[in-house]
Amino acid sequence: MDIPEDQKELIRRAQKLGALKINFEDPFEWDSGYRMPVYNDLKLLLGDPVMRQFVAKQFIKIIDYESILPEVIASVPIGGVSFGTTLADKFYVPFIFVREEPKTHGTRRQIEGMENIEGKRIVLIEDMISTGRTAAKSVQAIRDAKGSIDWCLSIVDYGFDEANIMFGSLSQPCNKRSILTYEIIADVMRTEKYISKDQQDKLMDWRLDPFGWGEKNGFPKDNTSRV
């Protein structure tokens, strides 16, 4: 796999910060309730101002390549907010964030940062896309507020079919692009020898059926978590 040097460098820096975690003995519980042997703790990147700028630079490359002209940058609390504000500063445009649900008090807003986004070209920034549920709901919330959104950009996209289904269920298409994919991360971790051959084989097994892996290995889904 021919991987650009900037993507390799992002993975190296994330690995050094301990953001790329693997644990087959005590898998991580994701927000969806599924137990998974991998966890990308991208919030660790927030503590390094150099990393925040580096990530923004990679987003700008995608935006330039796709000829996107954002008038507003949006994010979903909490993972994408810092990366979104850094990017908004680069373009010198407004920033908004989209709550999962409207507040039940005060202004009862779902979208914070601007009172009116009607007709504005908006780009949504996520730190990570797994099932795609949160990102797709945010896209719909922006459209319900009459904002114009055709792009969702993330740092990492696992490439799960579930995310494609969620985005495909939107009434109008929304493109999604990521700086890194699971395949790129796995390839760099293998070539840089961050993981053993045994871990490589186990990751391949997990990737074949990520949402069934936990059940098959004695780690059932916690159905009390959000879906």
Side-chain angles (χ1 to χ4, degrees), residues 3-4 14 30 37 63-64 76 85 131 139 172 177 186 208 226:
I3 301 172
W30 283 15
I63 289 170
D64 288 346
V76 179
T85 54
T131 65
V139 169
Q172 299 175 25
R177 283 283 306 277
L208 290 172
R226 289 186 294 170

Side-chain angles (χ1 to χ4, degrees), residues 92-186:
Y92 205 69
V93 298
F95 172 81
I96 61 175
F97 69 82
V98 187
R99 300 178 187 277
E100 187 163 2
E101 302 290 343
K103 289 194 301 184
T104 58
H105 61 283
T107 61
R108 302 183 185 276
R109 291 196 188 107
Q110 184 171 7
I111 297 174
E112 300 282 7
M114 294 176 67
E115 288 193 343
N116 183 12
I117 62 171
E118 184 173 355
K120 296 293 185 182
R121 294 189 305 272
I122 299 172
V123 174
L124 180 68
I125 301 297
E126 267 275 40
D127 59 345
M128 187 184 318
I129 292 180
S130 53
T131 65
R133 179 187 64 87
T134 301
K137 282 186 66 175
S138 298
V139 169
Q140 190 58 55
I142 290 169
R143 288 176 173 170
D144 290 345
K146 297 183 170 31
S148 174
I149 178 166
D150 295 318
W151 288 92
C152 174
L153 309 182
S154 62
I155 301 175
V156 174
D157 187 338
Y158 281 99
F160 294 155
D161 291 338
E162 284 75 5
N164 295 327
I165 292 169
M166 286 299 301
F167 272 76
S169 69
L170 292 167
S171 58
Q172 299 175 25
C174 181
N175 303 292
K176 62 184 179 75
R177 283 283 306 277
S178 65
I179 299 171
L180 300 173
T181 63
Y182 168 76
E183 287 75 19
I184 288 173
I185 294 172

